[in-house]
Amino acid sequence: MAKPDKKIVMTDLYGQYLKIRSEVDGAIQEVIGSTAFIQGKQVASFAEHLKNFTGARYVIPCANGTDALQIALMALGLQPGDEVIVPAFTYVAAAEVIGLLRLVPVLADVDYNTFNLTAGSIERVLSPKTKAVIPVHLFGQSCQMEEILEVAQRHNLFVVEDNAQAIGAVYTFRDGRTQQAGTIGNIGTTSFFPSKNLGCYGDGGAMFTNSDELGPMLKLIASHGQEKKYYHKVIGCNSRLDTLQAAILDVKLKYLDEYAAHRYRAAQYYHQGLAGIGGLIIPAEAPWSTHVYHQYTLKILNGKRDQLKDFLAANGIPTMIYYPRAIQEQEAFAPIIRIGEPLENANRLVREVLSLPIDTEIDTETQDYIIGKIREFFGG
Ligand SMILES: *Cc1c(COP(=O)(O)O)cnc(C)c1O
């Protein structure tokens, strides 16, 4: 398989931009022309379109996905010392905001196949102090939300879905009802970091809820706790999606389904090409969720992960390790976490995971080359 002329990247944001260049440039120019850089009309317009897309009753844009998680927890009225369950294998943001708010992150293990938190784990790590759980829909597919909601209901827990990686994924309930990931729990959050499935050209984020109490509260907190300018009802923060980013997102949202379809097709192509290699496990697709393939993450067995990564790098193929350390291994978190159960899968996954290039631009020629090199590494 010949090496493609084009440099292989994890996410080709420039190639994606070129296809929608005139629309994006026009939207940016319009914002500059209006000089409404903060809370311009594009912010409300994008929020409205995202509301229609997700079906959430409230969409509250904010500055980034980490802020979205923090504001979500602030809105729930938790008290210092209250416990919040998070997966041990995930991006750090959820555990971080729990710590910032002087709450206690309780670590639960993830499922080895889907990389996601499960209802069983939540139930095993509970204590009387546990008030909330943050299921993270890792790599592009939803956690088993129906089972998680059942546990949450039994134990009076708030559910905050971290949907930074699975925007657009559709969850199917047992009765056939469907709902978008991120709109199922009490609050959902997302990130518009450039490389996310719906990414802007800087930082951005949003919160989702169907609750008439939480919707206005989230909005209040994101805006200095003020209902009316200079009248502050609660302690809040300054977390806004800026108008330029909203304008860009409003253009890109129209293509999100198309982007997800491209990622999905690319994933199926990898599945086929990589099937049957011993020592390598391709991603599993859960029956309850569509997969929007934010990442295409392999598990490389027998301690060969780093060797494979180096071999691919030497052949011009970038890969990433999401994530090289579990939360319990992070220096910052050691003093504040409670380890709820043995974290065997998390401890194993940090040594096995390897994410391949996947995005809205990848073509089969590039994938053939990547697949060929992986097969070569494993001896054909
Ligand atoms: C990206 C990400 C975040 C944080 O989003 P930012 O916009 O970078 O603050 C939170 N959780 C997960 C799972 C993420 O992937």
Side-chain angles (χ1 to χ4, degrees):
M1 231 50 75
K3 189 164 186 294
D5 298 331
K6 206 168 60 173
K7 183 169 177 259
I8 305 174
V9 293
M10 286 299 289
T11 16
D12 180 9
L13 294 177
Y14 193 66
Q16 185 192 63
Y17 160 71
L18 288 179
K19 292 180 181 160
I20 52 172
R21 184 177 195 159
S22 62
E23 264 185 290
V24 169
D25 289 3
I28 290 172
Q29 285 305 319
E30 196 186 326
V31 175
I32 295 172
S34 77
T35 71
F37 297 114
I38 301 295
Q39 306 294 31
K41 66 176 199 264
Q42 289 84 349
V43 179
S45 158
F46 169 63
E48 191 60 28
H49 291 145
L50 191 57
K51 222 173 84 159
N52 296 340
F53 179 87
T54 58
R57 188 185 296 217
Y58 296 89
V59 172
I60 301 100
C62 65
N64 57 69
T66 309
D67 272 11
L69 285 163
Q70 183 181 327
I71 295 164
L73 291 181
M74 287 168 79
L76 298 177
L78 306 181
Q79 299 303 312
D82 284 350
E83 292 182 348
V84 181
I85 297 170
V86 280
F89 178 74
T90 185
Y91 184 62
V92 74
E96 183 176 46
V97 300
I98 294 168
L100 270 175
L101 295 173
R102 297 282 179 259
L103 306 164
V104 178
V106 177
L107 303 188
D109 207 7
V110 295
D111 174 56
Y112 183 73
N113 294 317
T114 61
F115 308 102
N116 276 336
L117 192 62
T118 63
S121 263
I122 294 168
E123 200 134 45
R124 282 193 293 276
V125 304
L126 274 168
S127 91
K129 285 191 188 158
T130 313
K131 298 288 158 55
V133 54
I134 305 184
V136 181
H137 304 315
L138 210 65
F139 300 152
Q141 77 185 332
S142 175
C143 298
Q144 195 352 334
M145 285 307 292
E146 194 160 14
E147 292 177 5
I148 289 176
L149 289 181
E150 284 161 4
V151 176
Q153 225 149 39
R154 269 205 301 283
H155 299 279
N156 247 318
L157 307 178
F158 291 112
V159 178
V160 176
E161 300 173 74
D162 180 349
N163 198 33
Q165 300 192 3
I167 192 157
V170 176
Y171 180 86
T172 304
F173 289 83
R174 288 181 207 112
D175 63 7
R177 214 159 34 88
T178 60
Q179 220 169 310
Q180 289 239 344
T183 70
I184 300 166
N186 299 90
I187 303 173
T189 65
T190 200
S191 163
F192 305 124
F193 186 85
S195 61
K196 297 282 156 79
N197 286 33
L198 179 59
C200 57
Y201 295 173
D203 275 310
M207 297 162 284
F208 307 94
T209 187
N210 299 318
S211 155
D212 292 327
E213 282 97 65
L214 290 172
M217 184 54 93
L218 292 167
K219 194 167 173 195
L220 195 65
I221 294 170
S223 175
H224 294 293
Q226 58 190 0
E227 249 164 1
K228 201 165 92 179
K229 212 167 169 66
Y230 308 124
Y231 291 79
H232 303 271
K233 198 167 174 191
V234 298
I235 304 276
C237 50
N238 174 23
S239 188
R240 295 180 289 232
L241 178 67
D242 74 62
T243 315
L244 278 168
Q245 302 306 337
I248 293 161
L249 288 164
D250 218 7
V251 171
K252 289 184 68 176
L253 179 59
K254 290 184 287 189
Y255 300 98
L256 185 56
D257 281 334
E258 200 180 297
Y259 290 163
H262 188 94
R263 287 172 178 276
Y264 186 76
R265 273 197 305 275
Q268 305 312 306
Y269 200 79
Y270 273 141
H271 287 351
Q272 279 168 25
L274 298 171
I277 300 178
L280 169 158
I281 302 174
I282 61 173
E285 290 174 8
W288 54 78
S289 175
T290 61
H291 203 319
V292 294
Y293 282 100
H294 176 59
Q295 298 298 340
Y296 187 89
T297 304
L298 301 173
K299 288 179 277 246
I300 309 299
L301 309 179
N302 311 317
K304 290 243 174 78
R305 192 264 314 269
D306 294 349
Q307 253 172 283
L308 173 61
K309 183 174 177 41
D310 291 346
F311 175 79
L312 293 175
N315 285 285
I317 300 167
T319 56
M320 291 292 284
I321 298 171
Y322 300 118
Y323 296 93
R325 273 197 173 177
I327 306 291
Q328 70 274 17
E329 301 174 296
Q330 303 285 0
E331 197 182 334
F333 290 92
I336 64 160
I337 51 173
R338 179 164 77 74
I339 294 179
E341 63 173 338
L343 303 169
E344 285 161 21
N345 292 331
N347 285 327
R348 186 172 167 192
L349 287 169
V350 294
R351 283 179 272 125
E352 293 182 354
V353 287
L354 189 67
S355 296
L356 300 182
I358 192 163
D359 66 356
T360 60
E361 308 307 307
I362 196 164
D363 54 36
T364 53
E365 184 199 0
T366 303
Q367 289 191 275
D368 283 336
Y369 175 70
I370 295 170
I371 291 163
K373 285 294 165 192
I374 293 173
R375 288 204 161 272
E376 187 183 320
F377 176 83
F378 283 101

